[in-house]
Amino acid sequence: MIRIKDKILALFLLLDIASTTLGAAENKSMEELSKELANPLAQIWNLSFQYNHTTLKGNKIEGSPTIDSTLFQPVLPVPLEGGYTAFARPVVTYIKGPTARFGGSYNISGIGLDDSSDFGDLILPVGVGKVNKVGWSYGVGATFIFPTSNNDLLGSHQYQAGPTALLLWANEKWTIGTHIQHWWGIKDDGKSNDNPVIKAAHDKNLNHTDIQYFIVRNLPNAWQLRASPHITYDWSAKKDNRLTLPIAFGVGKMIKIGPMPVMLMAEYQKTLISPDDIGNDSTIMLQANFIIKNPFGDL
């Protein structure tokens, strides 16, 4: 009997938490939420799901192979005193394609490989930032890549670490900024070098940069025009295989599903400069951010 009572109490507790979470933004308009969410340092908790369909091109490619990646990113900032916020933005990826590495830079180990589907490496930027609804916001910290992928082709097979920084400016109509991450390989994952794919990954001198720039124009009724592609630069690659430079155009709309605010986004990205051997041609990005209550406070 005691166990049944405990289970009933636990169920009511969960229902109470869920009801509080779903009502996170009941006192804010959809326009206010969409503007705040455009700031990656905003003290809004949200669960982000992103799907990318990327077409590849290059001298070492036959046909038009594609990469399909699904990203899950829980964004759970913690407010600090003085308008500062602590952030940790882990990125879990699931990838389908010949072989891939997160960040917009893809590698194929040979011609005619079968498609691979598995989880990619875990990416974890952490840091502290100063956030303002209007004016300048900034943040600094460290970023890590953990070789969590069990697929020989989809993982980097190295632990990586480096600095990260965010800088953005916002007013009532615009949010413009950038998120920069850089990684160096620091240690391999300890897997056997008997597999030539893993040995090649272990031997690689990883040294690469990811620069996401974002431009958001707020419109009436919680609509947005937006662009948020990733520029990547592989410092250890040959000269003609280092830079990936895309442009993008997309739209966003804040809606409610029941009591829960959800930001829906769609974006088309076209690569202007890509590595000669293997590179991105274009990407279609679909994203949904489910907003939940920050139990530590808000802006």
Side-chain angles (χ1 to χ4, degrees):
M1 181 66 68
I2 294 176
R3 291 183 179 178
I4 294 175
K5 288 182 178 178
D6 289 343
K7 289 181 179 179
I8 293 174
L9 288 173
L11 177 60
F12 276 107
L13 179 60
L14 288 173
L15 290 174
D16 181 65
I17 293 173
S19 124
T20 303
T21 298
L22 292 175
E26 61 182 359
N27 295 322
K28 291 188 178 182
S29 70
M30 294 295 95
E31 289 190 16
E32 288 176 316
L33 282 173
S34 64
K35 291 176 184 178
E36 289 185 28
L37 195 62
N39 185 336
L41 289 170
Q43 295 169 355
I44 297 177
W45 279 27
N46 67 94
L47 305 177
S48 174
F49 296 85
Q50 183 184 121
Y51 168 75
N52 300 300
H53 177 76
T54 300
T55 302
L56 305 179
K57 65 178 180 179
N59 298 332
K60 292 186 177 181
I61 291 181
E62 293 180 357
S64 299
T66 60
I67 297 286
D68 293 290
S69 59
T70 302
L71 285 65
F72 170 61
Q73 184 177 48
V75 181
L76 311 173
V78 177
L80 305 174
E81 293 184 1
Y84 289 90
T85 184
F87 63 87
R89 303 170 66 94
V91 181
V92 179
T93 63
Y94 188 83
I95 309 169
K96 180 181 182 298
T99 180
R101 188 185 66 228
F102 175 82
S105 178
Y106 300 95
N107 301 303
I108 294 180
S109 300
I111 301 296
L113 287 174
D114 293 333
D115 280 353
S116 300
S117 297
D118 209 330
F119 286 98
D121 292 341
L122 173 68
I123 302 168
L124 179 61
V126 297
V128 176
K130 174 73 171 179
V131 57
N132 294 295
K133 288 185 179 180
V134 176
W136 290 98
S137 298
Y138 55 88
V140 294
T143 180
F144 307 91
I145 297 180
F146 299 95
T148 53
S149 178
N150 289 322
N151 189 296
D152 294 345
L153 296 174
L154 299 181
S156 65
H157 299 288
Q158 291 193 40
Y159 292 91
Q160 303 171 57
T164 185
L166 297 96
L167 180 66
L168 63 99
W169 176 85
N171 63 12
E172 289 298 315
K173 294 183 177 181
W174 293 91
T175 299
I176 302 171
T178 184
H179 179 200
I180 302 172
Q181 299 183 84
H182 183 87
W183 300 278
W184 292 279
I186 54 177
K187 179 179 172 58
D188 69 49
D189 60 3
K191 292 185 177 180
S192 173
N193 282 332
D194 292 342
N195 185 323
V197 174
I198 294 178
K199 185 179 187 306
H202 287 172
D203 292 342
K204 189 169 184 178
N205 178 28
L206 291 179
N207 179 17
H208 55 116
T209 303
D210 181 283
I211 304 172
Q212 182 185 27
Y213 68 88
F214 45 92
I215 303 171
V216 179
R217 175 64 162 89
N218 297 308
L219 300 174
N221 300 316
W223 282 93
Q224 294 178 342
L225 299 178
R226 56 185 301 119
S228 57
H230 291 256
I231 302 170
T232 64
Y233 196 85
D234 188 343
W235 298 86
S236 61
K238 294 181 180 179
K239 185 177 180 180
D240 293 332
N241 290 295
R242 293 180 178 177
L243 178 63
T244 298
L245 176 61
I247 57 173
F249 178 79
V251 296
K253 168 68 173 174
M254 182 72 74
I255 65 170
K256 271 192 174 183
I257 299 178
M260 176 177 285
V262 181
M263 185 70 187
L264 300 178
M265 290 166 275
E267 189 169 299
Y268 177 76
Q269 303 175 1
K270 178 65 177 179
T271 304
L272 302 181
I273 302 174
S274 65
D276 288 349
D277 290 344
I278 306 294
N280 297 356
D281 183 30
S282 62
T283 296
I284 297 173
M285 184 273 284
L286 304 174
Q287 185 170 331
N289 289 25
F290 296 84
I291 296 177
I292 58 179
K293 184 176 179 61
N294 186 337
F296 299 102
D298 203 348
L299 284 170

